[in-house]
Amino acid sequence: MHRVVITGTGVISALGHNTADFWRALITGTSGIGAIHGMDEWQIRFKNGAEVLDYVPEEHFAAAEIGFMDRFAQFAVLTAREAIAQAGIEWTPCLRETAAVITGCCLGGRAVEETGYWELFHNGRSRVHPLTIPLSMGNAGASHISMQFGLEGPAYTISTACASSSHAIGQAFWMVRSGAAPLAIAGGSEAPFFLGNLKAWEALRVISKDTCRPFSAGRSGMILGEGAAMLVLEPLEAALARGARPIAEIVGFGMSADASHITQPASTGAARAMRLALRDSGLAAEQIGYINAHGTATEVNDRTETAAIRCIFSKHADQLAVSSTKSMHGHALGAAGALEAVASILSLRHGKLPPTANFLTADPACDLDVIPNQARTCAVEACLSNSFAFGGLNAVLAFKAYA
Amino acid sequence: MKVVATSKRIPIENVQPDTSFESLGIDSLDRLNILFDLENEFDIEINDEDAKQVKNMREMIEGVTQLVQAKNGSSPAE
């Protein structure tokens, strides 16, 4: 069994196009939420989202590559590039042959399907683009990362809605810990801003008409976000041997199913995933100083999650800091867990905890210390990152500061 | 009432004006289905906040009636 560390991260989100911009926005409490572009004519009942702005594919990819990669796959490759560069990996033939790539996504490149079907249904065309399938498939992100870097080891994609990339990182962690893979690129990617998907979310009546205010009285639902984040995971001894500086250690992974309802979360399932992550990590509950919450800002999530945290941590729940960074980067679905994993490990690294932005006043049903609006300087030993998906599928990651 | 009976796949006899959603076992997802069916059936838009206040069939019928009247009242005379 190896100790596993993260040696590189890559991020693209509404908070910028790299990890440094992401972290700067998080600790200044800057929200990336704004009016969704290009949707004015469609009478959607909400208008705001957390989009990746000023993204120009040509700045990152050759024209031929762009033709083979949808926006979500481009995000996956870009963030893998940043993570690998930061980690300073020196690829050997053996490492390339065995390194794992595990990605999460919820929608994949479905925006491409929409474009094709629009031509069929509205414009009387009889054919769709021949690359519709390879562009839209959910594993396109993992496939393009493996091709870009020539990685020939285990590569696959997990789709568990809003927990996808936490499941992906957890699986990668276990593979590196057990020695099944000598290194893993893991994370998630999502590009959910297309008409059919926005209409589908509208019909669920869970999207806020103003902004995302997790755990706050006066909250009115979630805000969709887009982007990607990737992490490089490798054994501690391998990282130290090549002189890399670990950002943080990943120490635990817990997962569970509510087995309850397709959209309503159950606090018991969430609690069990947290308990299992703690057990897997060998940490005592009292060692956890921070939780990056799932914190969607729907009434039912925030109350259920609060109850689950109280159930697991009992008295220590009042000593914990909890925040939802979705208040800034939005809910990026299959990329959410990966964005929040990066937020979590940077919190450990820098000794600063990102706030819950857009917070108005306390909700008595969410009576935890949720770091309202202002980041906090606070060195914590270890933290959890919670992800709870529609369908009741839960994934919780545990990280520890690397001194 | 027919919309609710069809949506929830229950006998229409069970759906009376004073029937509460709770007694019909209507959960949050059923509510969404009913809202969708009502909007389609009557060609109206039901506000999220208003919909959350509705607890029984009578309130639902009153709400829908108001919206249908508002729609008919505001449409231009032929």
Side-chain angles (χ1 to χ4, degrees):
Chain A
M1 297 274 272
H2 299 283
R3 286 174 69 183
V4 182
V5 292
I6 295 119
T7 51
T9 62
V11 177
I12 187 165
S13 74
L15 304 178
H17 295 189
N18 56 59
T19 303
D21 287 351
F22 178 68
W23 180 243
R24 197 174 303 118
L26 289 181
I27 54 163
T28 52
T30 308
S31 172
I33 295 167
I36 301 168
H37 292 82
M39 291 292 156
D40 300 341
E41 61 183 302
W42 296 109
Q43 296 183 334
I44 299 169
R45 292 182 202 183
F46 57 89
K47 63 176 194 305
N48 293 330
E51 286 182 286
V52 172
L53 299 177
D54 305 321
Y55 175 68
V56 182
E58 290 76 11
E59 289 176 2
H60 308 284
F61 298 101
E65 290 179 304
I66 293 168
F68 284 97
M69 276 189 273
D70 171 66
R71 187 173 171 94
F72 105 99
Q74 292 177 26
F75 288 168
V77 171
L78 264 186
T79 51
R81 267 186 204 164
E82 186 193 350
I84 288 167
Q86 189 194 1
I89 304 291
E90 290 154 26
W91 296 111
T92 62
C94 176
L95 191 56
R96 281 190 203 274
E97 197 179 309
T98 49
V101 180
I102 308 176
T103 64
C105 79
C106 179
L107 300 163
R110 230 183 270 168
V112 173
E113 291 184 349
E114 179 171 277
T115 308
Y117 297 161
W118 184 270
E119 293 297 319
L120 283 183
F121 300 149
H122 290 272
N123 296 342
R125 301 286 173 87
S126 63
R127 55 182 71 86
V128 297
H129 194 279
L131 292 182
T132 302
I133 297 290
L135 284 169
S136 63
M137 62 193 189
N139 60 302
S143 297
H144 282 288
I145 292 170
S146 76
M147 290 187 286
Q148 286 263 324
F149 297 97
L151 308 184
E152 300 172 317
Y156 57 93
T157 296
I158 295 176
S159 187
T160 46
C162 317
S164 302
S165 51
S166 293
H167 276 119
I169 294 167
Q171 285 273 305
F173 161 52
W174 280 356
M175 287 181 78
V176 175
R177 184 171 68 176
S178 72
L183 178 143
I185 314 296
S189 174
E190 205 76 85
F193 290 101
F194 54 96
L195 179 62
N197 186 53
L198 296 178
K199 278 286 171 189
W201 280 99
E202 174 191 77
L204 272 174
R205 296 176 185 251
V206 292
I207 307 286
S208 171
K209 292 187 180 66
D210 67 327
T211 191
C212 177
R213 307 183 192 279
F215 302 112
S216 168
R219 66 190 176 282
S220 54
M222 52 183 270
I223 288 285
L224 287 171
E226 72 172 344
M230 294 291 160
L231 289 71
V232 173
L233 277 61
E234 58 182 315
L236 174 64
E237 67 269 22
L240 295 180
R242 62 185 187 80
R245 185 184 170 190
I247 303 166
E249 185 171 357
I250 177 167
V251 290
F253 174 39
M255 48 183 162
S256 70
D258 291 351
S260 165
H261 190 279
I262 195 68
T263 57
Q264 293 286 309
S267 67
T268 48
R272 211 147 36 81
M274 282 190 267
R275 182 178 298 124
L276 290 168
L278 282 175
R279 185 186 297 169
D280 190 49
S281 71
L283 294 168
E286 291 69 30
Q287 289 175 276
I288 303 294
Y290 170 65
I291 298 176
N292 187 299
H294 188 55
T296 57
T298 63
E299 196 163 294
V300 62
N301 173 84
D302 291 1
R303 291 182 175 192
T304 305
E305 186 166 12
T306 302
I309 290 170
R310 288 215 167 272
C311 165
I312 294 301
F313 291 94
S314 54
K315 276 190 187 153
H316 185 63
D318 292 316
Q319 315 299 317
L320 278 170
V322 179
S323 71
S324 169
T325 48
K326 286 190 176 76
S327 55
M328 294 174 271
H329 54 64
H331 190 347
L333 309 176
L339 289 170
E340 291 157 23
V342 174
S344 300
I345 62 177
L346 292 178
S347 302
L348 296 174
R349 169 74 171 263
H350 295 292
K352 287 202 174 88
L353 306 179
T356 301
N358 308 317
F359 190 88
L360 298 174
T361 53
D363 170 2
C366 301
D367 56 348
L368 297 164
D369 170 9
V370 297
I371 321 179
N373 298 322
Q374 295 282 329
R376 187 176 301 164
T377 299
C378 177
V380 300
E381 182 186 358
C383 69
L384 296 183
S385 180
N386 285 346
S387 297
F388 309 132
F390 265 177
L393 309 185
N394 310 302
V396 175
L397 299 168
F399 301 100
K400 193 163 180 279
Y402 183 77
Chain B
M1 287 190 280
K2 193 175 137 215
V3 169
V4 173
T6 310
S7 177
K8 186 69 182 157
R9 297 186 178 82
I10 47 180
I12 194 158
E13 302 80 56
N14 294 6
V15 186
Q16 299 299 323
D18 287 319
T19 313
S20 71
F21 287 173
E22 200 181 350
S23 70
L24 292 173
I26 288 172
D27 71 5
S28 62
L29 208 53
D30 295 326
R31 289 174 82 101
L32 289 176
N33 277 327
I34 292 166
L35 287 167
F36 174 73
D37 291 339
L38 289 170
E39 288 187 338
N40 275 344
E41 177 77 20
F42 298 105
D43 189 24
I44 51 175
E45 293 262 323
I46 303 169
N47 179 294
D48 293 355
E49 296 309 313
D50 295 343
K52 277 183 197 157
Q53 309 304 323
V54 173
K55 301 272 188 289
N56 58 43
M57 291 301 300
R58 189 181 302 280
E59 290 169 7
M60 186 196 88
I61 293 164
E62 280 168 6
V64 170
T65 307
Q66 276 175 23
L67 287 169
V68 170
Q69 281 169 353
K71 182 186 75 169
N72 292 339
S74 65
S75 49
E78 308 243 336

